[in-house]
Amino acid sequence: MDIKDKLAVDVLVVGSGIAGLKVSIELAKEGKSVLMSTKTQLCSGSSFYPLKASLGTQVTKNDEDKDLFLQDIEDVSHNMHDKDMAKIYIEEIKDRVDEFEEIGIQPYKLSDNRKACFANHGRTIYMLRDWNKIRENVTGILENYSNVTVMERSVVISLIKRNDKIIGAFLLDKNKELILIQCKAVVLASGGFGNIYKHNLNPNDVDGSGHILALEAGASLLNLEFIQFIPGFTTPKYKTLFGEHTLNYCEDFVDDSGNSILDEILPEGLSKEECLEVRSTHGPFTNSLVSKYFDIAMMKQIMKTRSEEGFELIYNKALYENESDFYTIYLNWLTERGINLLTDQVKIAPFAHASNGGVQVDHFGKTNVAGLYAVGELAGGIEGANRLGGNSTGACMVFGKRAAKDCLAYINENSFIEIDSQEELNKLNESMKHFSVHVDHSLTPNEVIDSIRDIMWFNGNVIRDEQNLLSAIEKIEELRKSFNISQFVDNVKDRKSAFKARNFIMLSKILLQAMLERKESRGAHYREDYPSEDERFNKRLFISLNDHELKLEFK
């Protein structure tokens, strides 16, 4: 590869979801030059991939609510979250929701207090909706900032360091040409990694690239084994979010022969009705509640039959007689998409959705690498073994603001450092040698990507055990040994997919090893061979990289 062009900016922001927008606009207001790189279009990622009519932001109700809110977070976390980050969120979120309009979002406050997913107490909820209007608003706002440049359909492939300090990055632009970016700091806001799973509730750009950028730059990852899996429709409309509250009107959950898949798995003393009732209160799978058997039943059948068609929900007609907003908003949204839960055959399966872990950061989004920040779903901290609903969009605002403030101080104290283009290009080429296995017939990037997505969905889904995890790791290693990245990066049209395949090889191995290392079941992490929570693992799992070797450590 040859360097096509060079650009210099104060800050490179990777991602243009809520977190990326918040950081970019905060820095732009202070007169700093910002380059925002986004894999697709402006306003992207899970922030702008609505799975239902709206997204909620959970806000501290009043001073009396602070202790209750903290207790809700701690109850679902199972000691896997950063307690100080949780306190900061609770203290600052009320002020941050007032700043949504600054990034083009006009939320509306619900008239009543609601219990967010996994919460034991109701509180103030602000709803975000009308994504096209938000994108239009953002476009207008950025027109007022000549110091913000947006590069759509671009991919950051490597960060450049000198003396343990970030000084730049390489990216592939919309034409897949290599661009050298000189900058004082990088803010990663590229989201989670749901797209590494064959069936997921994410857009294609949520692919874990930010995790690999951070790890290779010297940052650590944590809590990666805690992944949210949420039931999604396989039919009548694939990749549609399932509304768990409708289970209050579900009579049974059956296979293609009409046999209940719950009957054979529910333990003695737990009725089908009780399992469905508890499952109706939360979207993601958790091992923490008796409703876990609902998701486990699905995945056991899938692993047994290798069928991905899902399982049918049998509803009572009284579902459409409930006139509360809680039901009608969702049911009307389904109707707009041509779905009727009574007249259509509705099948669901576990879909990957959100990462509860991510890049290790402090309370200002700083990593242990000078000049490198991570915010949004990419950052690990506030979430634990489960994720409290309504906190993700709010955390983008709270920690996006704090990261921008700290980053501003950092770039004011630091100057640009000259980059030796040829030296850094040589380093980039050298880093690819580990994925440049000389084989007669290399797998193509898309073959690698598709194989990994399939492996992850079957082996790293809701149910995990040592045998399947080891088998999956072995399969990933076979893919690595059959892939020559150099063969494809020299071809401009294959460059982006080649780097994505490389990232998938690294990230899949990391995820599977994290799942293997935690020999217990806790929250979103369920090990069938270790079904109970174990106090010996009452620690967070940190992952670092040294000379292509992963280090996993509980602390």
Side-chain angles (χ1 to χ4, degrees):
M1 290 189 294
D2 295 320
I3 298 172
K4 183 73 173 180
D5 200 3
K6 300 178 184 178
L7 299 172
V9 292
D10 289 318
V11 184
L12 169 63
V13 176
V14 185
S16 67
I18 291 175
L21 290 171
K22 180 60 176 172
V23 170
S24 297
I25 291 175
E26 288 289 328
L27 290 169
K29 287 191 299 184
E30 298 297 329
K32 302 305 176 185
S33 58
V34 178
L35 172 60
M36 190 187 304
S37 169
T38 176
K39 295 191 191 81
T40 54
Q41 61 180 328
L42 179 65
C43 302
S44 61
S46 294
S47 297
F48 293 89
Y49 186 73
L51 294 166
K52 49 185 178 180
S54 57
L55 289 176
T57 297
Q58 187 175 199
V59 177
T60 311
K61 188 167 50 178
N62 49 41
D63 285 342
E64 290 73 30
D65 182 46
K66 290 178 181 178
D67 288 340
L68 293 176
F69 201 166
L70 187 61
Q71 189 61 54
D72 278 351
I73 293 174
E74 292 183 346
D75 285 347
V76 302
S77 165
H78 291 254
N79 205 37
M80 295 294 108
H81 68 303
D82 184 311
K83 295 177 175 59
D84 289 332
M85 288 183 78
K87 291 176 182 176
I88 288 168
Y89 179 91
I90 291 167
E91 288 290 339
E92 298 184 7
I93 184 57
K94 286 187 73 173
D95 292 332
R96 296 293 82 80
V97 294
D98 293 337
E99 297 171 358
F100 266 128
E101 291 200 20
E102 294 180 8
I103 62 169
I105 298 172
Q106 298 171 322
Y108 66 97
K109 181 181 177 182
L110 292 182
S111 57
D112 58 335
N113 292 324
R114 295 275 181 89
K115 287 184 180 181
C117 184
F118 291 130
N120 293 319
H121 304 90
R123 54 186 49 90
T124 307
I125 304 288
Y126 284 82
M127 304 304 293
L128 285 57
R129 60 182 178 181
D130 199 348
W131 315 105
N132 290 330
K133 177 62 177 173
I134 295 172
R135 186 174 286 111
E136 180 183 319
N137 293 343
V138 171
T139 301
I141 290 169
L142 292 183
E143 287 176 354
N144 297 320
Y145 294 103
S146 59
N147 51 336
V148 177
T149 302
V150 179
M151 291 188 69
E152 295 184 321
R153 299 189 300 282
S154 65
V155 178
V156 178
I157 59 171
S158 181
L159 302 182
I160 300 172
K161 282 198 318 180
R162 183 178 298 170
N163 298 327
D164 294 323
K165 178 186 294 188
I166 295 294
I167 62 170
F170 281 113
L171 67 74
L172 299 175
D173 67 6
K174 64 181 179 180
N175 298 316
K176 303 174 185 175
E177 298 286 1
L178 187 64
I179 310 296
L180 175 63
I181 309 297
Q182 184 182 31
C183 57
K184 298 178 184 179
V186 170
V187 180
L188 299 175
S190 52
F193 48 71
N195 192 247
I196 202 170
Y197 284 87
K198 184 175 185 179
H199 302 294
N200 64 81
L201 296 171
N202 300 106
N204 289 338
D205 59 336
V206 180
D207 59 10
S209 60
H211 298 74
I212 301 303
L213 288 172
L215 192 67
E216 290 194 315
S220 296
L221 308 176
L222 78 159
N223 281 357
L224 291 191
E225 65 272 32
F226 299 117
I227 305 168
Q228 281 191 337
F229 289 90
I230 298 181
F233 290 3
T234 58
T235 188
K237 185 160 287 190
Y238 177 71
K239 210 166 177 174
T240 300
L241 182 69
F242 165 67
E244 69 278 355
H245 52 294
T246 62
L247 287 176
N248 283 315
Y249 295 91
C250 183
E251 296 180 347
D252 211 343
F253 194 24
V254 302
D255 61 20
D256 284 341
S257 300
N259 301 314
S260 174
I261 67 169
L262 292 174
D263 285 344
E264 64 181 67
I265 196 171
L266 293 181
E268 186 176 349
L270 178 64
S271 68
K272 189 184 306 181
E273 292 73 22
E274 182 182 357
C275 179
L276 292 173
E277 180 182 0
V278 177
R279 192 63 184 81
S280 73
T281 65
H282 60 92
F285 165 80
T286 178
N287 178 67
S288 308
L289 301 171
V290 294
S291 51
K292 63 185 178 183
Y293 295 105
F294 178 85
D295 305 77
I296 290 171
M298 277 193 286
M299 205 62 216
K300 285 187 79 70
Q301 289 295 322
I302 289 168
M303 293 171 75
K304 176 180 173 182
T305 63
R306 306 300 286 184
S307 171
E308 303 167 50
E309 295 181 358
F311 302 93
E312 186 176 0
L313 295 160
I314 308 299
Y315 282 104
N316 187 303
K317 66 179 181 179
L319 170 62
Y320 280 83
E321 296 170 4
N322 189 317
E323 297 181 354
S324 70
D325 287 349
F326 195 46
Y327 284 88
T328 57
I329 289 175
Y330 177 66
L331 295 176
N332 289 342
W333 181 74
L334 290 181
T335 299
E336 291 171 4
R337 283 148 183 78
I339 301 172
N340 184 291
L341 299 183
L342 291 180
T343 59
D344 292 324
Q345 184 185 45
V346 176
K347 288 187 175 182
I348 63 173
F351 281 59
H353 176 46
S355 169
N356 290 359
V359 180
Q360 182 187 5
V361 294
D362 71 4
H363 309 146
F364 288 92
K366 283 195 301 186
T367 70
N368 59 304
V369 180
L372 181 60
Y373 297 78
V375 291
E377 187 183 344
L378 174 66
I382 189 173
E383 316 296 356
N386 298 308
R387 186 177 72 169
L388 196 64
N391 281 6
S392 56
T393 51
C396 291
M397 297 295 288
V398 169
F399 296 102
K401 176 93 168 188
R402 294 173 70 86
K405 180 180 179 180
D406 194 273
C407 184
L408 177 64
Y410 177 83
I411 60 180
N412 282 338
E413 295 170 359
N414 287 271
S415 302
F416 285 108
I417 296 177
E418 193 63 34
I419 297 175
D420 185 322
S421 303
Q422 190 57 53
E423 179 184 349
E424 295 305 330
L425 184 59
N426 291 340
K427 289 180 182 178
L428 178 63
N429 290 327
E430 184 68 23
S431 71
M432 289 188 290
K433 285 187 177 180
H434 190 63
F435 298 88
S436 299
V437 181
H438 296 293
V439 291
D440 291 336
H441 300 287
S442 172
L443 294 174
T444 68
N446 286 335
E447 286 174 333
V448 172
I449 290 167
D450 290 344
S451 295
I452 289 175
R453 296 177 79 228
D454 195 68
I455 291 167
M456 290 302 299
W457 194 73
F458 278 108
N459 296 81
N461 201 303
V462 168
I463 298 178
R464 303 159 188 178
D465 63 53
E466 183 170 340
Q467 181 180 347
N468 281 326
L469 291 171
L470 289 173
S471 172
I473 291 171
E474 185 176 333
K475 291 175 183 176
I476 300 298
E477 183 61 17
E478 290 172 1
L479 291 172
R480 187 190 68 78
K481 292 178 179 178
S482 303
F483 178 56
N484 185 350
I485 188 174
S486 297
Q487 181 178 327
F488 299 96
V489 295
D490 291 335
N491 187 339
V492 174
K493 72 179 182 67
D494 291 326
R495 281 179 180 169
K496 287 183 180 178
S497 59
F499 278 99
K500 183 169 182 172
R502 166 191 176 274
N503 290 347
F504 269 26
I505 290 172
M506 293 181 66
L507 184 58
S508 60
K509 187 175 180 181
I510 291 167
L511 296 175
L512 292 166
Q513 288 192 343
M515 296 171 191
L516 185 64
E517 196 76 9
R518 185 171 290 279
K519 295 177 173 61
E520 64 159 358
S521 294
R522 184 185 296 257
H525 174 67
Y526 173 64
R527 283 284 297 264
E528 190 173 30
D529 47 352
Y530 296 96
S532 302
E533 193 168 299
D534 189 331
E535 282 302 305
R536 292 177 300 172
F537 293 92
N538 195 25
K539 302 174 183 177
R540 296 190 291 175
L541 180 59
F542 292 79
I543 301 170
S544 56
L545 185 68
N546 183 25
D547 194 25
H548 301 292
E549 291 296 323
L550 291 175
K551 179 182 179 182
L552 288 79
E553 182 180 9
F554 284 102
K555 55 183 178 181

PDB file of all heavy atoms in Angstrom, residues 360-385:
ATOM      1  N   GLN A 360     -10.857  -0.534  28.659  1.00  0.00           N
ATOM      2  CA  GLN A 360     -10.712  -0.023  30.020  1.00  0.00           C
ATOM      3  C   GLN A 360     -10.396   1.470  29.979  1.00  0.00           C
ATOM      4  O   GLN A 360      -9.441   1.903  29.332  1.00  0.00           O
ATOM      5  CB  GLN A 360      -9.592  -0.758  30.755  1.00  0.00           C
ATOM      6  CG  GLN A 360      -9.415  -0.302  32.196  1.00  0.00           C
ATOM      7  CD  GLN A 360      -8.198  -0.906  32.876  1.00  0.00           C
ATOM      8  OE1 GLN A 360      -7.416  -1.615  32.236  1.00  0.00           O
ATOM      9  NE2 GLN A 360      -8.026  -0.619  34.149  1.00  0.00           N
ATOM     10  N   VAL A 361     -11.217   2.251  30.664  1.00  0.00           N
ATOM     11  CA  VAL A 361     -11.031   3.706  30.712  1.00  0.00           C
ATOM     12  C   VAL A 361     -11.213   4.194  32.148  1.00  0.00           C
ATOM     13  O   VAL A 361     -11.770   3.500  32.998  1.00  0.00           O
ATOM     14  CB  VAL A 361     -12.046   4.443  29.805  1.00  0.00           C
ATOM     15  CG1 VAL A 361     -11.814   4.117  28.336  1.00  0.00           C
ATOM     16  CG2 VAL A 361     -13.491   4.103  30.200  1.00  0.00           C
ATOM     17  N   ASP A 362     -10.745   5.427  32.389  1.00  0.00           N
ATOM     18  CA  ASP A 362     -11.016   6.043  33.682  1.00  0.00           C
ATOM     19  C   ASP A 362     -12.315   6.845  33.581  1.00  0.00           C
ATOM     20  O   ASP A 362     -13.077   6.696  32.624  1.00  0.00           O
ATOM     21  CB  ASP A 362      -9.832   6.894  34.148  1.00  0.00           C
ATOM     22  CG  ASP A 362      -9.653   8.176  33.337  1.00  0.00           C
ATOM     23  OD1 ASP A 362     -10.483   8.466  32.438  1.00  0.00           O
ATOM     24  OD2 ASP A 362      -8.671   8.906  33.596  1.00  0.00           O
ATOM     25  N   HIS A 363     -12.577   7.702  34.552  1.00  0.00           N
ATOM     26  CA  HIS A 363     -13.868   8.396  34.614  1.00  0.00           C
ATOM     27  C   HIS A 363     -13.981   9.552  33.631  1.00  0.00           C
ATOM     28  O   HIS A 363     -15.013  10.211  33.557  1.00  0.00           O
ATOM     29  CB  HIS A 363     -14.110   8.876  36.041  1.00  0.00           C
ATOM     30  CG  HIS A 363     -13.938   7.784  37.052  1.00  0.00           C
ATOM     31  ND1 HIS A 363     -13.449   7.998  38.314  1.00  0.00           N
ATOM     32  CD2 HIS A 363     -14.159   6.441  36.952  1.00  0.00           C
ATOM     33  CE1 HIS A 363     -13.391   6.839  38.967  1.00  0.00           C
ATOM     34  NE2 HIS A 363     -13.806   5.886  38.165  1.00  0.00           N
ATOM     35  N   PHE A 364     -12.908   9.765  32.839  1.00  0.00           N
ATOM     36  CA  PHE A 364     -12.927  10.759  31.770  1.00  0.00           C
ATOM     37  C   PHE A 364     -12.744  10.097  30.403  1.00  0.00           C
ATOM     38  O   PHE A 364     -12.404  10.774  29.437  1.00  0.00           O
ATOM     39  CB  PHE A 364     -11.849  11.818  32.005  1.00  0.00           C
ATOM     40  CG  PHE A 364     -12.157  12.744  33.144  1.00  0.00           C
ATOM     41  CD1 PHE A 364     -11.706  12.456  34.420  1.00  0.00           C
ATOM     42  CD2 PHE A 364     -12.930  13.884  32.955  1.00  0.00           C
ATOM     43  CE1 PHE A 364     -11.997  13.304  35.486  1.00  0.00           C
ATOM     44  CE2 PHE A 364     -13.222  14.729  34.011  1.00  0.00           C
ATOM     45  CZ  PHE A 364     -12.762  14.447  35.280  1.00  0.00           C
ATOM     46  N   GLY A 365     -12.954   8.806  30.353  1.00  0.00           N
ATOM     47  CA  GLY A 365     -12.823   8.106  29.080  1.00  0.00           C
ATOM     48  C   GLY A 365     -11.390   7.890  28.641  1.00  0.00           C
ATOM     49  O   GLY A 365     -11.136   7.461  27.511  1.00  0.00           O
ATOM     50  N   LYS A 366     -10.410   8.156  29.516  1.00  0.00           N
ATOM     51  CA  LYS A 366      -9.000   7.977  29.169  1.00  0.00           C
ATOM     52  C   LYS A 366      -8.592   6.519  29.297  1.00  0.00           C
ATOM     53  O   LYS A 366      -8.931   5.856  30.271  1.00  0.00           O
ATOM     54  CB  LYS A 366      -8.104   8.811  30.100  1.00  0.00           C
ATOM     55  CG  LYS A 366      -8.055  10.282  29.791  1.00  0.00           C
ATOM     56  CD  LYS A 366      -6.892  10.970  30.510  1.00  0.00           C
ATOM     57  CE  LYS A 366      -6.989  10.807  32.020  1.00  0.00           C
ATOM     58  NZ  LYS A 366      -5.927  11.616  32.710  1.00  0.00           N
ATOM     59  N   THR A 367      -7.804   6.054  28.338  1.00  0.00           N
ATOM     60  CA  THR A 367      -7.169   4.748  28.457  1.00  0.00           C
ATOM     61  C   THR A 367      -5.814   4.939  29.140  1.00  0.00           C
ATOM     62  O   THR A 367      -5.447   6.054  29.513  1.00  0.00           O
ATOM     63  CB  THR A 367      -6.949   4.111  27.076  1.00  0.00           C
ATOM     64  OG1 THR A 367      -5.925   4.840  26.379  1.00  0.00           O
ATOM     65  CG2 THR A 367      -8.240   4.128  26.252  1.00  0.00           C
ATOM     66  N   ASN A 368      -5.057   3.868  29.274  1.00  0.00           N
ATOM     67  CA  ASN A 368      -3.715   3.975  29.842  1.00  0.00           C
ATOM     68  C   ASN A 368      -2.689   4.440  28.812  1.00  0.00           C
ATOM     69  O   ASN A 368      -1.500   4.549  29.108  1.00  0.00           O
ATOM     70  CB  ASN A 368      -3.281   2.627  30.426  1.00  0.00           C
ATOM     71  CG  ASN A 368      -3.279   1.530  29.376  1.00  0.00           C
ATOM     72  OD1 ASN A 368      -4.280   1.278  28.728  1.00  0.00           O
ATOM     73  ND2 ASN A 368      -2.159   0.864  29.203  1.00  0.00           N
ATOM     74  N   VAL A 369      -3.137   4.745  27.597  1.00  0.00           N
ATOM     75  CA  VAL A 369      -2.264   5.240  26.535  1.00  0.00           C
ATOM     76  C   VAL A 369      -2.498   6.740  26.380  1.00  0.00           C
ATOM     77  O   VAL A 369      -3.635   7.174  26.148  1.00  0.00           O
ATOM     78  CB  VAL A 369      -2.536   4.520  25.198  1.00  0.00           C
ATOM     79  CG1 VAL A 369      -1.622   5.058  24.103  1.00  0.00           C
ATOM     80  CG2 VAL A 369      -2.362   3.011  25.352  1.00  0.00           C
ATOM     81  N   ALA A 370      -1.469   7.534  26.504  1.00  0.00           N
ATOM     82  CA  ALA A 370      -1.611   8.995  26.420  1.00  0.00           C
ATOM     83  C   ALA A 370      -2.207   9.406  25.081  1.00  0.00           C
ATOM     84  O   ALA A 370      -1.740   8.978  24.023  1.00  0.00           O
ATOM     85  CB  ALA A 370      -0.252   9.660  26.613  1.00  0.00           C
ATOM     86  N   GLY A 371      -3.260  10.227  25.146  1.00  0.00           N
ATOM     87  CA  GLY A 371      -3.897  10.720  23.933  1.00  0.00           C
ATOM     88  C   GLY A 371      -4.939   9.800  23.352  1.00  0.00           C
ATOM     89  O   GLY A 371      -5.482  10.088  22.274  1.00  0.00           O
ATOM     90  N   LEU A 372      -5.266   8.698  24.029  1.00  0.00           N
ATOM     91  CA  LEU A 372      -6.270   7.757  23.517  1.00  0.00           C
ATOM     92  C   LEU A 372      -7.445   7.680  24.475  1.00  0.00           C
ATOM     93  O   LEU A 372      -7.272   7.397  25.667  1.00  0.00           O
ATOM     94  CB  LEU A 372      -5.657   6.366  23.329  1.00  0.00           C
ATOM     95  CG  LEU A 372      -6.601   5.291  22.769  1.00  0.00           C
ATOM     96  CD1 LEU A 372      -7.124   5.679  21.387  1.00  0.00           C
ATOM     97  CD2 LEU A 372      -5.912   3.935  22.711  1.00  0.00           C
ATOM     98  N   TYR A 373      -8.655   7.912  23.943  1.00  0.00           N
ATOM     99  CA  TYR A 373      -9.887   7.897  24.716  1.00  0.00           C
ATOM    100  C   TYR A 373     -10.867   6.907  24.088  1.00  0.00           C
ATOM    101  O   TYR A 373     -10.785   6.600  22.893  1.00  0.00           O
ATOM    102  CB  TYR A 373     -10.529   9.290  24.733  1.00  0.00           C
ATOM    103  CG  TYR A 373      -9.693  10.355  25.398  1.00  0.00           C
ATOM    104  CD1 TYR A 373      -8.609  10.937  24.732  1.00  0.00           C
ATOM    105  CD2 TYR A 373      -9.972  10.785  26.688  1.00  0.00           C
ATOM    106  CE1 TYR A 373      -7.827  11.909  25.341  1.00  0.00           C
ATOM    107  CE2 TYR A 373      -9.194  11.767  27.304  1.00  0.00           C
ATOM    108  CZ  TYR A 373      -8.127  12.323  26.624  1.00  0.00           C
ATOM    109  OH  TYR A 373      -7.363  13.279  27.232  1.00  0.00           O
ATOM    110  N   ALA A 374     -11.807   6.418  24.897  1.00  0.00           N
ATOM    111  CA  ALA A 374     -12.873   5.539  24.393  1.00  0.00           C
ATOM    112  C   ALA A 374     -14.165   5.900  25.104  1.00  0.00           C
ATOM    113  O   ALA A 374     -14.188   6.052  26.326  1.00  0.00           O
ATOM    114  CB  ALA A 374     -12.526   4.068  24.625  1.00  0.00           C
ATOM    115  N   VAL A 375     -15.242   6.055  24.333  1.00  0.00           N
ATOM    116  CA  VAL A 375     -16.549   6.410  24.897  1.00  0.00           C
ATOM    117  C   VAL A 375     -17.645   5.612  24.214  1.00  0.00           C
ATOM    118  O   VAL A 375     -17.446   5.025  23.152  1.00  0.00           O
ATOM    119  CB  VAL A 375     -16.836   7.928  24.746  1.00  0.00           C
ATOM    120  CG1 VAL A 375     -15.940   8.753  25.628  1.00  0.00           C
ATOM    121  CG2 VAL A 375     -16.689   8.362  23.287  1.00  0.00           C
ATOM    122  N   GLY A 376     -18.831   5.609  24.835  1.00  0.00           N
ATOM    123  CA  GLY A 376     -19.963   4.874  24.286  1.00  0.00           C
ATOM    124  C   GLY A 376     -19.885   3.398  24.600  1.00  0.00           C
ATOM    125  O   GLY A 376     -19.241   2.978  25.563  1.00  0.00           O
ATOM    126  N   GLU A 377     -20.534   2.586  23.772  1.00  0.00           N
ATOM    127  CA  GLU A 377     -20.561   1.143  24.019  1.00  0.00           C
ATOM    128  C   GLU A 377     -19.169   0.531  23.965  1.00  0.00           C
ATOM    129  O   GLU A 377     -18.904  -0.505  24.580  1.00  0.00           O
ATOM    130  CB  GLU A 377     -21.473   0.443  23.007  1.00  0.00           C
ATOM    131  CG  GLU A 377     -21.690  -1.032  23.308  1.00  0.00           C
ATOM    132  CD  GLU A 377     -22.530  -1.747  22.269  1.00  0.00           C
ATOM    133  OE1 GLU A 377     -23.210  -1.071  21.473  1.00  0.00           O
ATOM    134  OE2 GLU A 377     -22.509  -2.997  22.257  1.00  0.00           O
ATOM    135  N   LEU A 378     -18.256   1.157  23.241  1.00  0.00           N
ATOM    136  CA  LEU A 378     -16.885   0.666  23.147  1.00  0.00           C
ATOM    137  C   LEU A 378     -16.179   0.670  24.498  1.00  0.00           C
ATOM    138  O   LEU A 378     -15.294  -0.148  24.749  1.00  0.00           O
ATOM    139  CB  LEU A 378     -16.106   1.532  22.151  1.00  0.00           C
ATOM    140  CG  LEU A 378     -14.604   1.277  22.012  1.00  0.00           C
ATOM    141  CD1 LEU A 378     -14.346  -0.104  21.410  1.00  0.00           C
ATOM    142  CD2 LEU A 378     -13.958   2.349  21.150  1.00  0.00           C
ATOM    143  N   ALA A 379     -16.562   1.587  25.382  1.00  0.00           N
ATOM    144  CA  ALA A 379     -15.882   1.742  26.673  1.00  0.00           C
ATOM    145  C   ALA A 379     -16.475   0.804  27.715  1.00  0.00           C
ATOM    146  O   ALA A 379     -17.693   0.660  27.815  1.00  0.00           O
ATOM    147  CB  ALA A 379     -15.991   3.188  27.151  1.00  0.00           C
ATOM    148  N   GLY A 380     -15.622   0.162  28.491  1.00  0.00           N
ATOM    149  CA  GLY A 380     -16.080  -0.678  29.588  1.00  0.00           C
ATOM    150  C   GLY A 380     -16.076   0.097  30.894  1.00  0.00           C
ATOM    151  O   GLY A 380     -15.233   0.960  31.100  1.00  0.00           O
ATOM    152  N   GLY A 381     -17.051  -0.191  31.764  1.00  0.00           N
ATOM    153  CA  GLY A 381     -17.034   0.490  33.055  1.00  0.00           C
ATOM    154  C   GLY A 381     -18.359   0.506  33.765  1.00  0.00           C
ATOM    155  O   GLY A 381     -18.556  -0.193  34.753  1.00  0.00           O
ATOM    156  N   ILE A 382     -19.302   1.290  33.244  1.00  0.00           N
ATOM    157  CA  ILE A 382     -20.568   1.451  33.967  1.00  0.00           C
ATOM    158  C   ILE A 382     -21.398   0.172  33.944  1.00  0.00           C
ATOM    159  O   ILE A 382     -22.162  -0.102  34.860  1.00  0.00           O
ATOM    160  CB  ILE A 382     -21.387   2.632  33.396  1.00  0.00           C
ATOM    161  CG1 ILE A 382     -22.588   2.922  34.320  1.00  0.00           C
ATOM    162  CG2 ILE A 382     -21.836   2.377  31.977  1.00  0.00           C
ATOM    163  CD1 ILE A 382     -23.360   4.173  33.939  1.00  0.00           C
ATOM    164  N   GLU A 383     -21.248  -0.637  32.893  1.00  0.00           N
ATOM    165  CA  GLU A 383     -22.024  -1.876  32.802  1.00  0.00           C
ATOM    166  C   GLU A 383     -21.305  -3.017  33.515  1.00  0.00           C
ATOM    167  O   GLU A 383     -20.074  -3.022  33.626  1.00  0.00           O
ATOM    168  CB  GLU A 383     -22.255  -2.253  31.338  1.00  0.00           C
ATOM    169  CG  GLU A 383     -22.654  -1.107  30.430  1.00  0.00           C
ATOM    170  CD  GLU A 383     -23.990  -0.481  30.764  1.00  0.00           C
ATOM    171  OE1 GLU A 383     -24.679  -0.977  31.682  1.00  0.00           O
ATOM    172  OE2 GLU A 383     -24.363   0.509  30.120  1.00  0.00           O
ATOM    173  N   GLY A 384     -22.073  -3.996  33.962  1.00  0.00           N
ATOM    174  CA  GLY A 384     -21.495  -5.143  34.634  1.00  0.00           C
ATOM    175  C   GLY A 384     -21.922  -6.438  33.988  1.00  0.00           C
ATOM    176  O   GLY A 384     -21.981  -6.562  32.769  1.00  0.00           O
ATOM    177  N   ALA A 385     -22.250  -7.434  34.815  1.00  0.00           N
ATOM    178  CA  ALA A 385     -22.650  -8.737  34.294  1.00  0.00           C
ATOM    179  C   ALA A 385     -23.966  -8.665  33.537  1.00  0.00           C
ATOM    180  O   ALA A 385     -24.221  -9.453  32.617  1.00  0.00           O
ATOM    181  CB  ALA A 385     -22.759  -9.743  35.437  1.00  0.00           C
TER     182      ALA A 385
END
